[in-house]
Amino acid sequence: MQFMLLFSRQGKLRLQKWYVPLSDKEKKKITRELVQTVLARKPKMCSFLEWRDLKIVYKRYASLYFCCAIENQDNELITLEIIHRYVELLDKYFGSVCELDIIFNFEKAYFILDEFLLGGEAQETSKKNVLKAIEQADLLQEEAETPRSVLEEIGLT
Amino acid sequence: MALKIVKGSIDRIFDKNLQDLVRGIRNHKEDEAKYISTCIDEIKQELKQDNIAVKANAVCKLTYLQMLGYDVSWAAFNIVEVMSSSKFTYKRIGYLAASQCFHEGTDVIMLTTNQIRKDLSSPSQYDTGVALTGLSCFVTPDLARDLANDIMTLMSHTKPYIRKKAVLIMYKVFLKYPESLRPAFPRLKEKLEDPDPGVQSAAVNVICELARRNPKNYLSLAPLFFKLMTSSTNNWVLIKIIKLFGALTPLEPRLGKKLIEPLTNLIHSTSAMSLLYECVNTVIAVLISLSSGMPNHSASIQLCVQKLRILIEDSDQNLKYLGLLAMSKILKTHPKSVQSHKDLILQCLDDKDESIRLRALDLLYGMVSKKNLMEIVKKLMLHVDKAEGTTYRDELLTKIIDICSQSNYQYITNFEWYISILVELTRLEGTRHGHLIASQMLDVAIRVKAIRGFAVAQMATLLDNAHLLTGNAQRNGICEVLYAAAWICGEFSEHLEDPLHTLEAMLRPRVATLPGHIQAVYVQNAAKLFAAVLCGQEGAPADSQTAQETSQLLIDRLPLFVQSADLEVQERASCVLQLVKYIEKLQQKQVEVGEEVTALFTGELNPVAPKAQKKVPVPEGLDLDAWINEPPSESESEDEKPRAVFTEEEPRHSRQRHPEADEKELARRREARKQEQANNPFYIKASPTSQKGYQDAPGVDHIPVVQIDLSVPLKVPGMSTSDQYVKMEEERRQKNKADKKKKEKKKKREKRGRGRKGDSGPESEEEDITPAHMVDIVTEEMPENALPSDDDDKDPNDPYRALDIDLDKPLADTEKLPVRTHRPPEALKSPGDEGGGVSEEPKKKSKKEHREKERKERKKSKEDKKKKKHKRDRGEEPEEAPPEEPVQSEIIEVAAPPSTTSVEASDLDFWLSTAPAAPKTQEAEPAAAAPDSAPDAGPDVAPPMSNYSLLAENSYIKMMCDIQGNLQDGSQVVVSIIFENKSDSFLKSMEFNVLDSLNAKLQRPEGAGPHDGLTVPFQLPPGVSNEARFVFSVQSIIMPQKLKGTLTFIVKSEDSSTHEKLDFKLHFTCSSYLITTPCYSDAFAKLLESGELKGSSLRLEGVSMPFHHLLARICFHHHFSVVERIDSCASMYSRSIQGHHVCLLVKSADQTVSIDARCDETSLLGNVLDEIKLTFSQC
């Protein structure tokens, strides 16, 4: 997979993950172009389109579009499956996820994606394992955070 | 100080966190930019503070802003700061920010190397994980080089979580630092058999990605992947492996044959569409790679087509799309099977989804035949009328033209019909493809001589009705066809019925509104017509008046063109005008000028093949790259564009001697030339790609396309419609057929007894269709002695090309991953010794050996499978072992380099051939090979060898067997047996049975009793051999054991059949439970240090073979790998299928070999040592 984009029906980018090195300018250009093309497609159309020398696989979940770019020999259906898995993961993690969850916790959405895909390849196909890794990492984070309240930090306790 | 902290913390309370920022942005919809700029200012303040929590919060917000498109590159250093925080919370955010914001040009990346290295070796797996994830996004060549070794170590981490990530990221490292591929590959390969399925799947992913780019280097892994494919149940992994095989089969057709069966099984059994789709795709690839003369695969094709039909008929648009896509791949090689689904595909043309319609169009392209072309095009024309939206209509138009013109108009039987189709297409108002239609008209008119009369008549009508085409949208793309029409009428004016009328039509004032290049053609061809009029009327004195009137017409009308703003038009018009004025003078003097004027335009222009120019051989002594003048001075060219200081050297492209200076210029000229060719009717645009380039020419792009919806399709009056031709053609064919039938009946009567082919029905019918007129398609001209030229050079900028590396070659001394130098080098533990532990000389030699071996193998594959003698020239290898050595013949078979890869490589042939090659098994018997090859065979003459040893033999059958442990299942041993039929009779119903012991049992299918035999899944015709595998489950592997068994079979000769049997004894040695496992010296040292291993030792006296032969022998017979070797001392490692480590330290001095061994299982070790002893006592 070359990159993954999440954007809203209004064309606002919600998440982007690039697995190929590109300059910011190029990324912006691609994003703009793809958002336009995908949004222009009618709801009944198939989820694949050929774009430059890549294949774009996208799927709409509620108000969010999930859009992946894969190479020519890659399997479109498994890419749809990846998108679906990711949505399921988000759903499990946030508990019936909505667009706002992703907007306000965008770093979490990234962390989940990073546990699921690495370098554009699926690294863990078991949903349970991904969530377990995320939960444990979150735990680690909370342990580090909670014991030190602001007051403690100042030294007032 | 305290105050500062207080201040920082209080600030923190009032700081916006990410949620606040997001909320803020949502609340400031109107002045978002302004709000964000204040936020950025705040963030800048926050970043200045010492409190890492504040910084992390700021960086987190920046990451969000980065996504919104704001430049945050200025904060790169702060991101690095947050990355290096010791707290996981912040580190995580830092790495996330880095992975989103850093790219190759970010200079602070250099500073991160040590931090990342520290995180990679952190005791917390999540620290390591987060670093790996981040690295995968921003790895640069420098980082890849510096960290490759660290990541490689992580591939053997104890936690699968880390192993998995490390394996995946290696792919990125390879891409950035290709040198790391060879050193890291053995370990990567090892991970294919990792106990953790996630790691295994990661390794499959990486190797598949690598192999897809450069498949030939991975052929030797085919058996391993085959095994994985047949054993794995994970669809994700299966898809990858199947895709990999799709890439490998074109290189090795035998592999394809082996794949067909398991793949068709999967197609039948799987319920996952993605897997089904992948299987179908790979089966298609396999079938393409197999030669067409494989009739027995029609079943597989049929299966694929059937499955695809189901996909296409599905209501899911996605499946429909993919079905059509895959169908088009089959179409290329098996058009017949697809053509039978024409109905379905035509149906897809009506689909709501445009992308599906386009796919269906693609398919139609390949489905046409002489028989159905008219019908299909008729359907398409209907769609053209119905189509809403210009894009799709234009696509239809190009497809119609593509379909008709493909392979040199192969399928067109009636060119009158085609011309009328083209004329009908001119009705399309909004199209951008006027050019395309025009070039088709020109092409057909020029190359099909028989059609010129008809074409000219049609074009004349077009010219006459030009106002319909140009309409009010004068810059409409369709007016391009007038260019063609004018030219055709002018050039072939002899076919014109009324040249004067056409001439008049071409000089109407309205013409001046056309684009310049069309006017220019009008003017030029008006002159040609003028000549035709003069010539045609000449001789008849009454017509001299007509001639004068014609001249007058020109003199009246041409001044309009002389005033044209277009230079070309102006120039041509002036010339022609002066010429006509002169002629008029002559005419007034009653001079006959007709012939002379015609002489201006005589001579036929022949079409030139598109690549003709390129193929003109360069005359000897002409250097096209040499400067004709002195090259422009340095300073001048520097003014034009900055020169790169370090230009990359590309020795292969020696012709690009002056690329920097010339490339732009060349491109410009090429563009100009293309433009020129596009407008030149004598250039034939043969390939659809070149046509596409031509449509995209900048001249057309900017023309605004005005879409006009006409309720009534425009009809050019007086023009015959193509439908008429369809009808006529049908009638004609019917008649032809009737005639033919009469003739055939006669023939049939004669031929009846001979047995004609039954299925050639449609084909022969198709051949029967004769073109309406004798069509003579003028072929394109080529220069004499044209050179064949390669059309598609590989793209030199392909990033994957650097990874085209031979992985089977043993590692050279210089190939190791860079290691930090400040670490004190320790004799055994340093990972840097991995590749370099072995002293230089033997390494070199082994490389040589290998090369020699490869050469040998190639030779061998060319020759047949019979046993052959080794002939080699003595002078070739100076290092060759002295001939008086007593054990030469043995060495031949053991001298393979001690790496698993190469053993497998040589086994590939074996694996692929269904009938095992005899020489290998023969050579496994020392006695057979000894007398021939002994005298001068050195270590380098190792023939491909195998472990197969004789199991049992009688006059009917010979059994050779090889016993190997199964890495994936610690309790399984696989016995591969080659059955060779030595008799002249047919052997069938072979049954293999073994008397199970308590410890080892033959695995029988479910439901079979413990004493039932296994049926060997094949029969053996005389002289044929084949291989079968049997799986045994073994409980304890610490003792060797023998199992008694019997093979029963029926010998069937022509008149009788007898029951025979053959007893054998399967000997499971302890060595056969060992699996060659590479081990790195650091891991090896750790193992020894751990103190869990028990020792034992062995002394061998009177071993006179060279040390490396000795090592090779241990490697080969006992499945060890060399960890490290220093002079005549080496450490070796192997692992049992149940995970016992076996370490050897082998020393050799004065014909005495001492082996110190350690293993966590004493009796296993003792047995292995005994077996080693036995091996050497047999010398």
Side-chain angles (χ1 to χ4, degrees):
Chain A
M1 191 186 294
Q2 303 248 336
F3 55 85
M4 185 186 221
L5 301 175
L6 260 71
F7 49 87
S8 69
R9 219 167 29 162
Q10 288 78 34
K12 282 247 166 61
L13 195 60
R14 294 300 179 211
L15 197 133
Q16 54 171 350
K17 193 83 198 177
W18 300 81
Y19 297 111
V20 283
L22 288 172
S23 69
D24 280 353
K25 214 173 123 194
E26 184 72 5
K27 285 181 190 172
K28 268 186 209 166
K29 204 177 138 213
I30 292 175
T31 312
R32 211 179 315 121
E33 207 177 315
L34 273 183
V35 168
Q36 263 176 16
T37 348
V38 171
L39 287 179
R41 286 176 69 90
K42 297 189 188 87
K44 279 280 165 121
M45 285 177 138
C46 70
S47 304
F48 316 122
L49 54 118
E50 274 169 17
W51 177 81
R52 299 198 188 171
D53 53 346
L54 298 175
K55 290 192 289 199
I56 304 295
V57 177
Y58 71 90
K59 191 155 172 70
R60 187 179 152 180
Y61 287 88
S63 59
L64 265 188
Y65 283 88
F66 291 69
C67 174
C68 295
I70 53 172
E71 274 160 70
N72 242 321
Q73 311 100 320
D74 285 331
N75 188 321
E76 291 94 338
L77 292 173
I78 205 75
T79 313
L80 273 181
E81 179 72 26
I82 287 178
I83 293 179
H84 189 71
R85 279 277 157 113
Y86 181 48
V87 175
E88 282 180 334
L89 285 171
L90 290 174
D91 210 50
K92 278 244 171 72
Y93 183 83
F94 289 111
S96 76
V97 68
C98 68
E99 197 185 335
L100 284 179
D101 286 326
I102 296 175
I103 298 173
F104 283 107
N105 299 290
F106 89 117
E107 83 277 20
K108 296 275 195 248
Y110 275 121
F111 294 149
I112 297 171
L113 185 60
D114 285 341
E115 284 299 330
F116 178 44
L117 298 177
L118 194 137
E121 300 287 335
Q123 60 163 319
E124 182 56 73
T125 51
S126 143
K127 273 178 275 183
K128 218 172 67 191
N129 285 354
V130 176
L131 289 173
K132 210 172 76 189
I134 286 288
E135 269 161 30
Q136 277 171 3
D138 280 351
L139 222 62
L140 215 68
Q141 175 163 347
E142 272 152 30
E143 271 167 23
E145 259 177 3
T146 43
R148 307 194 71 202
S149 74
V150 183
L151 290 178
E152 256 179 317
E153 236 167 73
I154 316 172
L156 287 184
T157 43
Chain B
M1 182 63 196
L3 202 76
K4 210 175 169 188
I5 295 174
V6 171
K7 189 174 173 294
S9 300
I10 290 175
D11 276 352
R12 212 181 133 196
I13 299 172
F14 298 110
D15 278 344
K16 284 195 196 85
N17 62 14
L18 178 68
Q19 272 81 5
D20 299 327
L21 174 79
V22 176
R23 216 166 281 137
I25 293 174
R26 291 167 73 83
N27 291 336
H28 291 76
K29 286 238 163 75
E30 287 80 42
D31 52 347
E32 193 183 289
K34 200 175 143 212
Y35 177 75
I36 287 177
S37 77
T38 56
C39 285
I40 289 183
D41 287 341
E42 282 169 23
I43 290 171
K44 279 185 181 159
Q45 286 306 315
E46 286 164 29
L47 286 176
K48 278 185 194 145
Q49 293 181 32
D50 288 334
N51 191 326
I52 191 73
V54 178
K55 267 189 193 162
N57 184 39
V59 163
C60 187
K61 289 191 278 183
L62 278 179
T63 315
Y64 186 80
L65 293 179
Q66 192 266 347
M67 184 174 69
L68 296 185
Y70 292 87
D71 176 38
V72 299
S73 54
W74 48 269
F77 185 74
N78 302 103
I79 293 175
V80 176
E81 280 181 310
V82 178
M83 272 163 77
S84 45
S85 156
S86 58
K87 278 192 197 156
F88 177 69
T89 320
Y90 308 137
K91 189 185 288 299
R92 202 182 188 191
I93 289 171
Y95 272 103
L96 172 64
S99 65
Q100 294 300 107
C101 312
F102 287 3
H103 48 84
E104 282 200 3
T106 310
D107 42 6
V108 292
I109 284 189
M110 287 187 310
L111 305 175
T112 59
T113 317
N114 277 318
Q115 179 58 42
I116 296 172
R117 182 174 283 141
K118 211 174 107 195
D119 290 334
L120 288 182
S121 54
S122 156
S124 157
Q125 61 169 333
Y126 293 103
D127 280 353
T128 315
V130 117
L132 283 174
T133 310
L135 193 59
S136 74
C137 292
F138 58 79
V139 60
T140 62
D142 283 344
L143 280 179
R145 191 194 55 229
D146 296 342
L147 296 172
N149 196 51
D150 301 69
I151 301 172
M152 197 163 96
T153 321
L154 289 180
M155 279 164 70
S156 315
H157 199 270
T158 49
K159 298 221 168 76
Y161 178 80
I162 298 298
R163 286 210 298 276
K164 181 177 75 184
K165 285 178 189 276
V167 168
L168 276 178
I169 201 182
M170 271 326 261
Y171 179 59
K172 298 276 163 185
V173 172
F174 295 149
L175 281 179
K176 297 288 176 191
Y177 180 56
E179 289 87 339
S180 61
L181 178 57
R182 278 172 43 77
F185 195 73
R187 194 172 288 194
L188 181 60
K189 206 179 115 191
E190 203 180 297
K191 294 295 140 201
L192 284 176
E193 297 180 301
D194 194 280
D196 183 82
V199 182
Q200 201 185 17
S201 129
V204 169
N205 266 345
V206 171
I207 294 186
C208 287
E209 284 304 308
L210 287 169
R212 249 164 64 179
R213 320 287 181 193
N214 301 295
K216 68 173 189 306
N217 302 329
Y218 300 86
L219 258 181
S220 62
L221 291 180
L224 185 58
F225 275 107
F226 192 82
K227 203 173 86 191
L228 280 177
M229 181 175 83
T230 41
S231 61
S232 175
T233 50
N234 181 340
N235 282 353
W236 300 72
V237 172
L238 277 176
I239 286 177
K240 282 280 173 186
I241 296 179
I242 290 167
K243 191 183 295 298
L244 168 76
F245 277 128
L248 290 183
T249 39
L251 303 175
E252 181 52 90
R254 283 177 297 172
L255 181 60
K257 279 187 213 162
K258 218 172 164 101
L259 282 172
I260 285 286
E261 201 201 321
L263 285 181
T264 37
N265 286 345
L266 268 176
I267 290 179
H268 277 300
S269 63
T270 186
S271 59
M273 277 299 173
S274 47
L275 182 58
L276 172 78
Y277 180 60
E278 199 62 56
C279 288
V280 169
N281 264 334
T282 297
V283 169
I284 294 169
V286 166
L287 292 172
I288 289 172
S289 74
L290 292 176
S291 55
S292 49
M294 304 286 296
N296 49 336
H297 287 307
S298 60
S300 325
I301 272 292
Q302 227 41 53
L303 176 68
C304 288
V305 175
Q306 262 169 32
K307 286 282 172 183
L308 290 178
R309 188 175 172 111
I310 294 173
L311 289 191
I312 296 173
E313 281 170 339
D314 200 289
S315 60
D316 184 345
Q317 299 287 66
N318 292 339
L319 297 183
K320 197 176 279 223
Y321 178 89
L322 293 179
L324 290 169
L325 197 66
M327 206 62 124
S328 63
K329 284 184 198 148
I330 299 185
L331 188 68
K332 280 176 204 138
T333 47
H334 300 78
K336 287 261 154 57
S337 352
V338 182
Q339 269 161 10
S340 54
H341 300 281
K342 202 180 76 191
D343 55 321
L344 187 66
I345 287 150
L346 283 174
Q347 211 176 305
C348 289
L349 279 183
D350 294 319
D351 200 279
K352 297 182 292 286
D353 185 346
E354 190 174 299
S355 29
I356 286 176
R357 291 199 301 256
L358 292 177
R359 284 278 148 249
L361 274 181
D362 281 347
L363 269 174
L364 278 183
Y365 177 82
M367 289 176 59
V368 291
S369 62
K370 282 184 179 168
K371 201 174 149 213
N372 62 16
L373 175 73
M374 286 180 154
E375 181 198 340
I376 288 181
V377 171
K378 190 180 163 191
K379 278 239 166 70
L380 291 180
M381 292 297 282
L382 282 178
H383 280 279
V384 170
D385 281 339
K386 276 194 292 184
E388 76 277 8
T390 34
T391 10
Y392 181 57
R393 212 167 52 176
D394 277 359
E395 191 60 38
L396 273 169
L397 190 154
T398 39
K399 268 284 130 54
I400 290 175
I401 289 180
D402 279 355
I403 286 174
C404 293
S405 62
Q406 67 176 310
S407 30
N408 226 355
Y409 307 103
Q410 192 193 341
Y411 300 114
I412 295 185
T413 49
N414 187 334
F415 275 93
E416 288 187 12
W417 164 83
Y418 186 44
I419 293 274
S420 26
I421 286 287
L422 288 175
V423 171
E424 269 177 54
L425 285 176
T426 61
R427 298 189 326 231
L428 291 183
E429 270 282 333
T431 185
R432 292 188 295 121
H433 295 308
H435 271 300
L436 204 54
I437 303 174
S439 67
Q440 281 293 299
M441 286 174 168
L442 286 171
D443 200 26
V444 173
I446 292 169
R447 294 173 61 196
V448 187
K449 281 189 176 141
I451 202 67
R452 281 180 192 166
F454 179 79
V456 167
Q458 295 282 303
M459 294 304 123
T461 332
L462 259 186
L463 284 179
D464 202 20
N465 297 295
H467 57 280
L468 290 177
L469 292 183
T470 48
N472 34 14
Q474 44 170 288
R475 303 214 61 183
N476 195 329
I478 200 65
C479 63
E480 289 295 330
V481 296
L482 293 176
Y483 173 99
W487 190 87
I488 290 170
C489 287
E491 184 66 20
F492 308 118
S493 52
E494 67 268 22
H495 299 290
L496 270 179
E497 263 177 36
D498 187 358
L500 188 55
H501 180 72
T502 309
L503 180 61
E504 195 273 331
M506 277 168 70
L507 292 173
R508 285 177 196 153
R510 197 169 190 145
V511 173
T513 59
L514 290 172
H517 65 281
I518 298 179
Q519 286 185 54
V521 172
Y522 265 68
V523 172
Q524 188 72 15
N525 286 286
K528 288 185 200 164
L529 282 179
F530 175 57
V533 172
L534 288 189
C535 192
Q537 317 301 336
E538 213 74 42
D543 282 345
S544 70
Q545 199 196 340
T546 328
Q548 282 187 19
E549 274 171 25
T550 317
S551 309
Q552 198 52 50
L553 176 75
L554 280 166
I555 291 168
D556 290 345
R557 301 273 177 92
L558 279 175
L560 177 69
F561 296 101
V562 175
Q563 290 160 14
S564 168
D566 191 291
L567 268 186
E568 183 82 17
V569 181
Q570 202 186 83
E571 193 181 5
R572 289 194 192 191
S574 315
C575 280
V576 174
L577 185 60
Q578 288 314 312
L579 184 72
V580 175
K581 278 183 182 161
Y582 181 67
I583 290 168
E584 199 205 13
K585 263 186 215 158
L586 291 177
Q587 280 172 333
Q588 279 162 0
K589 289 179 195 158
Q590 300 295 329
V591 182
E592 286 198 5
V593 286
E595 249 170 65
E596 280 162 63
V597 178
T598 324
L600 283 174
F601 304 108
T602 48
E604 191 159 337
L605 295 168
N606 282 331
V608 180
K611 282 174 191 149
Q613 181 138 30
K614 206 165 104 192
K615 294 195 176 179
V616 178
V618 179
E620 223 172 295
L622 174 65
D623 181 4
L624 290 173
D625 292 325
W627 290 95
I628 297 172
N629 299 315
E630 280 300 296
S633 67
E634 283 283 306
S635 59
E636 217 175 304
S637 66
E638 256 164 293
D639 282 348
E640 277 170 6
K641 59 184 222 158
R643 269 195 172 190
V645 184
F646 302 105
T647 46
E648 268 184 54
E649 263 187 83
E650 275 189 285
R652 264 178 251 168
H653 303 272
S654 53
R655 281 187 62 192
Q656 300 182 336
R657 201 66 49 81
H658 311 286
E660 319 103 294
D662 285 353
E663 227 139 30
K664 257 194 181 168
E665 173 68 8
L666 274 179
R668 197 184 57 75
R669 278 191 217 153
R670 208 174 296 131
E671 206 42 59
R673 201 166 52 238
K674 261 191 202 157
Q675 197 78 33
E676 209 173 77
Q677 286 173 8
N679 295 328
N680 187 339
F682 297 107
Y683 265 97
I684 289 167
K685 296 96 199 168
S687 65
T689 47
S690 68
Q691 277 169 354
K692 260 173 204 150
Y694 162 48
Q695 297 149 20
D696 295 341
V700 207
D701 262 357
H702 68 270
I703 298 175
V705 180
V706 181
Q707 196 189 332
I708 298 177
D709 256 336
L710 290 166
S711 47
V712 187
L714 276 171
K715 280 254 159 75
V716 181
M719 225 163 256
S720 51
T721 57
S722 58
D723 287 358
Q724 259 171 274
Y725 287 98
V726 178
K727 227 180 252 169
M728 276 162 52
E729 181 71 14
E730 260 164 30
E731 279 163 20
R732 193 178 66 83
R733 281 186 196 172
Q734 214 95 52
K735 210 178 134 225
N736 274 3
K737 230 191 240 172
D739 289 352
K740 276 257 166 74
K741 258 189 194 158
K742 272 184 213 158
K743 276 184 205 164
E744 222 153 85
K745 261 185 198 164
K746 275 186 207 162
K747 267 190 204 166
K748 251 187 191 168
R749 247 173 256 149
E750 292 160 17
K751 272 191 177 176
R752 195 158 277 169
R754 287 185 214 171
R756 288 170 33 134
K757 263 190 252 164
D759 58 343
S760 63
E763 205 176 346
S764 56
E765 220 171 283
E766 187 163 301
E767 280 159 9
D768 282 345
I769 301 168
T770 42
H773 4 236
M774 278 319 287
V775 180
D776 151 46
I777 297 181
V778 183
T779 46
E780 301 136 339
E781 286 200 338
M782 273 289 190
E784 280 169 50
N785 22 319
L787 299 169
S789 65
D790 290 11
D791 293 342
D792 40 353
D793 285 332
K794 273 191 181 169
D795 178 14
N797 296 326
D798 183 5
Y800 304 108
R801 236 172 107 175
L803 285 180
D804 188 359
I805 294 168
D806 185 2
L807 294 163
D808 292 340
K809 258 194 298 181
L811 285 175
D813 207 26
T814 46
E815 287 185 285
K816 48 186 170 187
L817 296 174
V819 182
R820 274 174 294 173
T821 43
H822 57 81
R823 195 197 268 180
E826 291 163 70
L828 259 168
K829 289 176 196 165
S830 157
D833 288 345
E834 279 161 356
V838 185
S839 63
E840 197 166 332
E841 197 202 334
K843 265 289 171 191
K844 265 190 187 160
K845 204 169 170 187
S846 83
K847 208 169 179 181
K848 242 183 211 165
E849 266 173 75
H850 191 80
R851 223 180 297 135
E852 191 64 21
K853 208 181 131 211
E854 276 179 343
R855 197 178 68 90
K856 193 76 215 191
E857 254 171 83
R858 237 177 288 136
K859 212 165 137 196
K860 190 177 155 268
S861 63
K862 269 186 206 161
E863 293 174 20
D864 55 4
K865 290 173 180 171
K866 283 175 196 162
K867 184 184 152 197
K868 60 177 180 346
K869 294 176 181 179
H870 309 291
K871 285 181 196 162
R872 35 196 57 254
D873 27 352
R874 264 163 192 268
E876 210 173 307
E877 290 297 328
E879 293 168 278
E880 238 173 272
E884 64 267 18
E885 233 165 303
V887 282
Q888 279 303 329
S889 64
E890 282 282 331
I891 287 157
I892 297 166
E893 47 160 330
V894 274
S899 92
T900 41
T901 341
S902 49
V903 171
E904 246 166 60
S906 65
D907 276 350
L908 181 66
D909 267 344
F910 183 82
W911 180 74
L912 284 168
S913 54
T914 35
K920 285 178 195 159
T921 50
Q922 290 277 21
E923 275 152 8
E925 298 171 283
D932 299 333
S933 47
D936 57 357
D940 326 274
V941 292
M945 53 182 181
S946 76
N947 255 330
Y948 286 82
S949 60
L950 185 67
L951 182 63
E953 188 175 17
N954 64 11
S955 55
Y956 298 108
I957 194 163
K958 185 164 129 189
M959 294 163 73
M960 311 280 295
C961 88
D962 174 34
I963 305 175
Q964 276 189 345
N966 182 350
L967 233 191
Q968 295 201 304
D969 188 337
S971 62
Q972 278 189 359
V973 177
V974 178
V975 179
S976 315
I977 300 182
I978 301 170
F979 299 91
E980 187 186 343
N981 186 349
K982 290 168 62 188
S983 68
D984 302 328
S985 323
F986 207 85
L987 301 186
K988 52 185 267 188
S989 310
M990 287 189 280
E991 220 172 68
F992 178 90
N993 202 358
V994 170
L995 214 57
D996 291 348
S997 72
L998 274 178
N999 189 29
K1001 291 186 171 60
L1002 175 62
Q1003 286 199 349
R1004 297 177 165 87
E1006 260 177 73
H1011 304 296
D1012 291 351
L1014 282 182
T1015 312
V1016 179
F1018 46 78
Q1019 303 182 337
L1020 287 179
V1024 170
S1025 49
N1026 204 344
E1027 186 183 2
R1029 291 184 184 196
F1030 302 96
V1031 181
F1032 286 79
S1033 52
V1034 183
Q1035 277 175 352
S1036 161
I1037 59 160
I1038 56 171
M1039 298 285 280
Q1041 61 175 317
K1042 286 183 178 164
L1043 292 182
K1044 274 189 189 167
T1046 319
L1047 181 80
T1048 56
F1049 51 92
I1050 294 172
V1051 182
K1052 194 171 177 187
S1053 53
E1054 275 177 23
D1055 41 353
S1056 68
S1057 62
T1058 50
H1059 233 90
E1060 295 289 339
K1061 70 170 199 167
L1062 175 61
D1063 291 326
F1064 56 85
K1065 247 185 209 168
L1066 269 176
H1067 185 51
F1068 291 96
T1069 58
C1070 279
S1071 297
S1072 58
Y1073 300 131
L1074 295 183
I1075 286 177
T1076 317
T1077 318
C1079 177
Y1080 295 92
S1081 49
D1082 46 348
F1084 189 79
K1086 257 184 211 153
L1087 247 176
L1088 289 181
E1089 274 173 6
S1090 69
E1092 287 159 10
L1093 306 185
K1094 294 160 203 105
S1096 176
S1097 63
L1098 173 73
R1099 262 177 93 81
L1100 300 167
E1101 303 282 352
V1103 179
S1104 53
M1105 65 177 74
F1107 189 59
H1108 61 277
H1109 290 180
L1110 183 130
L1111 292 186
R1113 176 165 287 223
I1114 298 177
C1115 287
F1116 184 70
H1117 285 296
H1118 304 285
H1119 311 138
F1120 276 87
S1121 64
V1122 178
V1123 178
E1124 204 168 5
R1125 177 184 159 185
I1126 297 159
D1127 298 332
S1128 57
C1129 181
S1131 50
M1132 305 178 87
Y1133 176 80
S1134 185
R1135 221 177 72 173
S1136 79
I1137 51 173
Q1138 294 183 353
H1140 305 289
H1141 303 282
V1142 189
C1143 306
L1144 300 183
L1145 189 63
V1146 186
K1147 283 182 201 157
S1148 164
D1150 303 332
Q1151 305 213 338
T1152 308
V1153 177
S1154 67
I1155 301 178
D1156 278 314
R1158 271 160 205 269
C1159 175
D1160 30 15
E1161 178 53 62
T1162 335
S1163 72
L1164 175 70
L1165 183 64
N1167 287 316
V1168 169
L1169 287 182
D1170 286 348
E1171 282 160 20
I1172 293 177
K1173 198 170 170 184
L1174 191 70
T1175 310
F1176 285 98
S1177 68
Q1178 278 170 350
C1179 307

